Amino acid sequence: MSLRDQSFPIKTQDDWKTKAEESLKGKSIETLKSNTYENIILKPLYSRGNVQKAPDYPGGSDFRRGIDSLGYVANEWKVAQRISYKSADELKAKLHEGVEKGQTALSFEVSETLFEAKQTLPEILGDLPSKYPIAVNGKGLQSGMLAAIAEHEEMANQVTGYVGKDQISLFAEDGLIREDYFNGWIEDIKNANEKLPHLRTVLINTSIYHQGGANAVQELGIAVATGTFYLQQLLESGMKLEESISKMIFQFSIGSNFFMELAKLRAARILWDKITKVYGAEVQFRGMQIAAETSTFTKTAYDPHVNILRAGNEAFAAVVGGVQYLHVTAFDDVLGSSYLSERIALNTQNILKEEAHLQKVVDPAGGSWYVEALTTELAEKSWQYFQEIEAKGGMLEVLKSGWLQDEISSVYSKRKQDIFTRKQSIVGTNVYANLAETVAPAQGKIADNYFKNGSSNIKIKAITNRRLSEPFEVLRKISERIKVKVGSNPAIGMICLGELKQYKPRLDFMKGFLAAGGLTVAESESITSLEAAKQFIVKQDTKYFCLCGSNAQYESIGHEILTALNHEFADSVFYLAGLPEKEQQARWMNEGVKQFIHLKSNCYETLSSILTEMEVAQDEVSKA
């Protein structure tokens, strides 16, 4: 019998379940399920049965598989690395250098520098807009930018891309709403529509909500609610439906959950197709244009080179998700980007395009039962969230009431708790921290204040730009302050009971746990007697110690040693690595243990308490 005649018996899902539970050693297959911040339960296996309807072809149906039938094969995504600069000359030079090295859209930060320079904006851009689209969030300076471009007649007829602004997201960021603002904004859009016919000017920017901690369902619900609000405003001003839609572009930040972020972009197109269909738009106008950027929420100040991996993963998800414009965050953007980091960020897109060949495959995620099922569930939940926003009066009303801010804050609290307990890892921050590393203070974002003096302002809760790693970075700063005062990193002495094999597992755990707050470990030799423990403590410059060993060692010699040490070194503070049985905990506490440090401990709160106590004690010593 030839190899081609061989076949494998058909296996059912029940067969797989049986085999899987064998490897789980009796545990139920249900234990493999996990819950996301979107309250979506992820299953361990997806099949055709998990998808109600077979996915349509790219460019068809609800656009989940992209807005072009040939994807990037016909229309590559635009490499829109956002350029930072200190002068108009520097911007001009960087723009020309960028397009030579792979930049395919003209993207840059917007500042007053553009209008204070001797050169006009058209002079700075030169003939580049005739070859490359613009990709700019104009924020409070959008009106001036549009006017400057429109004055240059030759450029006005050629310019494509977008110079947009999302006023509602700016309201949310600044904590102020000016209701009469939209009158002037609509005039800007209508004027630009006449003078800059090929330029999109209405931006729906969900990045501020993402950076506040929002989950994907919230981001999508907000995006659709904001887009609907702007569309309605334009229609009521007299603009035609297709004309209004053609001026709109959506911006998303892409987080670290690869498949969720990929599905988020696919679901966004489903939702916008549904909205525009309800309004009566023809199918050729219903495809959503998306500009994406890798998340700043996920980036760290410490061990910043890991940000290269984070940004690469996020950029990959954005491209597979089907974006039209993409900005990859520089790995040291938190502290102020450098030439090297900006070059790496640009080359990340070049690698995805030219070496990973993502521009040559039409919708590589299409047909994956997992991705399709996740996309559908995410779209359904987001539609319900959009309806909830609308039922409460729309975007402006949910911001005024504070409901939306509280919703986002609730999700952020869950994310933060998972980071604090190390249920979620941030490499280089709450796990595998490098104690030899120090960083300069992070540079905060400068908020726009162009309308804060208006008489009709309504104060609301601002949505703060956050990063998940910030709380631990604060702990590292406390540790560094203590180091400056005492000349060395704050330390905890590890009283290692028994032989190496008995205490090493918990010693390694404690080293990693304490390093997240910048605390070092003063490790003892193998201790089997009270006298050896005393000699170790006397030699240390710290008064903080932790017993570290196996449960057997704790019971055989730990109680005796701790009781004696607590009596003789009354000023010292003692911890225990591990979590004893409940009936044993009270005994340990009576013998002198201040706290048990174990896998389920809140790492942030534990380290914060220790470091705060250390710093206060050091300040008292300094005053004395």
Side-chain angles (χ1 to χ4, degrees):
M1 183 180 290
S2 65
L3 185 61
R4 72 174 57 184
D5 295 325
Q6 298 295 318
S7 64
F8 294 96
I10 297 175
K11 297 295 182 180
T12 66
Q13 189 157 330
D14 287 338
D15 293 329
W16 173 84
K17 182 179 178 181
T18 300
K19 200 68 177 176
E21 289 184 341
E22 285 179 11
S23 65
L24 291 172
K25 298 180 180 179
K27 290 183 181 180
S28 168
I29 201 71
E30 298 297 313
T31 60
L32 295 180
K33 292 183 178 180
S34 60
N35 202 356
T36 72
Y37 295 111
E38 293 77 15
N39 289 321
I40 292 175
I41 297 175
L42 300 181
K43 304 171 185 178
L45 179 68
Y46 286 81
S47 63
R48 184 185 296 271
N50 296 116
V51 179
Q52 298 174 355
K53 177 185 175 184
D56 208 338
Y57 55 86
S61 186
D62 54 17
F63 299 108
R64 71 175 62 205
R65 299 194 62 189
I67 60 175
D68 295 309
S69 60
L70 292 178
Y72 297 136
V73 174
N75 294 288
E76 294 185 359
W77 81 88
K78 303 299 187 293
V79 178
Q81 289 300 119
R82 195 162 53 245
I83 294 172
S84 59
Y85 54 92
K86 295 180 180 178
S87 68
D89 288 337
E90 182 183 7
L91 172 59
K92 187 174 183 179
K94 281 190 169 183
L95 284 171
H96 283 276
E97 182 182 9
V99 297
E100 290 175 0
K101 295 184 177 180
Q103 184 108 346
T104 56
L106 309 178
S107 185
F108 47 88
E109 301 283 356
V110 174
S111 73
E112 294 286 356
T113 301
L114 293 175
F115 302 96
E116 296 170 351
K118 295 179 180 179
Q119 302 178 75
T120 64
L121 182 59
E123 288 173 337
I124 294 171
L125 297 176
D127 66 345
L128 292 178
S130 65
K131 304 173 184 176
Y132 307 98
I134 295 176
V136 168
N137 180 353
K139 299 183 181 179
L141 299 175
Q142 181 201 34
S143 182
M145 287 195 65
L146 293 176
I149 296 172
E151 287 177 1
H152 195 284
E153 292 185 8
E154 184 177 348
M155 179 181 291
N157 292 326
Q158 295 177 329
V159 67
T160 59
Y162 68 94
V163 176
K165 175 176 62 174
D166 182 351
Q167 189 57 53
I168 292 178
S169 74
L170 294 176
F171 288 157
E173 185 174 14
D174 290 324
L176 289 169
I177 291 178
R178 180 176 163 185
E179 292 186 298
D180 63 354
Y181 178 82
F182 293 104
N183 295 331
W185 172 78
I186 288 174
E187 290 306 311
D188 284 340
I189 302 306
K190 294 175 77 172
N191 289 336
N193 185 44
E194 293 180 6
K195 299 178 180 179
L196 306 167
H198 308 298
L199 190 69
R200 293 177 184 266
T201 50
V202 181
L203 180 67
I204 297 91
N205 180 16
T206 65
S207 290
I208 178 61
Y209 312 104
H210 173 94
Q211 289 160 197
N215 62 33
V217 167
Q218 291 170 331
E219 289 180 60
L220 291 171
I222 290 167
V224 177
T226 304
T228 301
F229 175 85
Y230 289 149
L231 182 56
Q232 191 63 36
Q233 291 279 316
L234 295 176
L235 293 176
E236 290 175 3
S237 74
M239 286 183 66
K240 295 179 180 179
L241 176 61
E242 286 79 7
E243 193 176 48
S244 300
I245 295 173
S246 70
K247 295 300 161 186
M248 304 176 79
I249 186 166
F250 290 74
Q251 179 168 315
F252 293 97
S253 283
I254 309 301
S256 58
N257 187 332
F258 181 86
F259 288 106
M260 185 63 71
E261 296 301 310
L262 190 165
K264 179 174 78 179
L265 298 173
R266 294 162 64 89
R269 291 192 292 270
I270 294 174
L271 297 175
W272 191 237
D273 173 71
K274 189 171 184 177
I275 288 290
T276 50
K277 184 186 293 184
V278 169
Y279 271 94
E282 295 294 330
V283 65
Q284 64 267 31
F285 295 98
R286 299 205 301 261
M288 175 189 278
Q289 287 276 322
I290 299 177
E293 60 182 12
T294 57
S295 174
T296 58
F297 183 73
T298 61
K299 303 305 180 291
T300 63
Y302 288 87
D303 209 351
H305 290 91
V306 182
N307 291 335
I308 299 174
L309 304 179
R310 296 184 180 108
N313 173 70
E314 293 160 3
F316 201 124
V319 172
V320 177
V323 301
Q324 279 65 56
Y325 299 87
L326 178 61
H327 164 74
V328 176
T329 309
F331 72 80
D332 57 358
D333 183 68
V334 172
L335 305 173
S337 61
S338 61
Y339 176 80
L340 173 63
S341 65
E342 290 172 359
R343 181 180 175 186
I344 290 174
L346 173 60
N347 284 339
T348 298
Q349 296 206 53
N350 289 336
I351 290 171
L352 292 176
K353 184 174 288 189
E354 305 298 339
E355 296 187 28
H357 302 299
L358 290 186
Q359 88 279 21
K360 294 184 178 180
V361 181
V362 181
D363 188 25
S368 161
W369 304 126
Y370 172 42
V371 171
E372 298 297 350
L374 184 58
T375 297
T376 299
E377 188 169 2
L378 191 53
E380 290 172 351
K381 283 182 174 289
S382 300
W383 183 258
Q384 293 170 4
Y385 200 78
F386 158 66
Q387 290 179 313
E388 192 171 1
I389 292 174
E390 291 299 292
K392 293 180 182 296
M395 278 299 297
L396 290 179
E397 293 305 317
V398 294
L399 286 172
K400 288 177 188 176
S401 68
W403 175 83
L404 184 61
Q405 295 91 321
D406 291 343
E407 286 272 299
I408 292 173
S409 181
S410 176
V411 176
Y412 173 68
S413 295
K414 293 176 183 177
R415 295 184 190 273
K416 191 168 61 172
Q417 185 67 16
D418 287 343
I419 295 301
F420 284 2
T421 57
R422 304 206 299 177
K423 183 179 178 181
Q424 296 290 332
S425 299
I426 305 178
V427 174
T429 300
N430 71 344
V431 296
Y432 306 118
N434 179 8
L435 294 182
E437 181 185 23
T438 60
V439 300
Q443 296 182 355
K445 301 290 184 181
I446 300 174
D448 292 311
N449 60 0
Y450 54 90
F451 64 91
K452 289 187 178 179
N453 296 321
S455 59
S456 59
N457 288 345
I458 299 173
K459 192 170 184 180
I460 61 173
K461 293 180 183 178
I463 296 178
T464 306
N465 287 338
R466 298 181 171 113
R467 289 182 298 106
L468 264 181
S469 62
E470 286 178 301
F472 281 95
E473 291 167 5
V474 170
L475 296 183
R476 293 289 293 272
K477 288 301 176 185
I478 296 174
S479 177
E480 289 169 13
R481 288 201 300 266
I482 296 173
K483 180 179 179 180
V484 170
K485 294 172 184 176
V486 302
S488 61
N489 283 321
I492 289 185
M494 303 302 297
I495 302 173
C496 301
L497 303 180
E499 299 177 3
L500 178 64
K501 64 180 180 180
Q502 294 170 315
Y503 65 74
K504 190 175 188 306
R506 280 180 170 150
L507 174 64
D508 289 343
F509 165 77
M510 288 300 299
K511 286 180 178 179
F513 187 97
L514 297 172
L519 288 158
T520 59
V521 165
E523 180 182 342
S524 74
E525 298 292 334
S526 176
I527 289 179
T528 56
S529 67
L530 174 61
E531 188 59 33
K534 288 181 180 180
Q535 291 177 6
F536 171 70
I537 288 179
V538 169
K539 294 178 182 178
Q540 304 309 310
D541 291 330
T542 182
K543 69 173 186 177
Y544 299 88
F545 297 91
C546 180
L547 267 68
C548 185
S550 66
N551 291 342
Q553 289 299 312
Y554 287 163
E555 291 304 313
S556 63
I557 62 174
H559 291 289
E560 177 188 351
I561 289 177
L562 176 62
T563 301
L565 292 178
N566 189 46
H567 177 73
E568 186 164 340
F569 302 95
D571 291 338
S572 294
V573 179
F574 294 97
Y575 302 93
L576 183 77
L579 183 64
E581 297 294 332
K582 284 187 177 181
E583 57 271 16
Q584 290 290 324
Q585 292 177 19
R587 178 184 177 186
W588 283 107
M589 300 288 279
N590 290 332
E591 291 170 349
V593 169
K594 181 175 182 178
Q595 189 173 357
F596 305 106
I597 300 177
H598 50 89
L599 283 171
K600 295 182 180 179
S601 292
N602 187 310
C603 183
Y604 172 79
E605 290 182 358
T606 301
L607 297 178
S608 179
S609 175
I610 293 172
L611 285 166
T612 299
E613 186 177 333
M614 284 182 169
E615 188 170 37
V616 169
Q618 188 57 46
D619 288 342
E620 290 176 353
V621 170
S622 299
K623 290 177 182 178

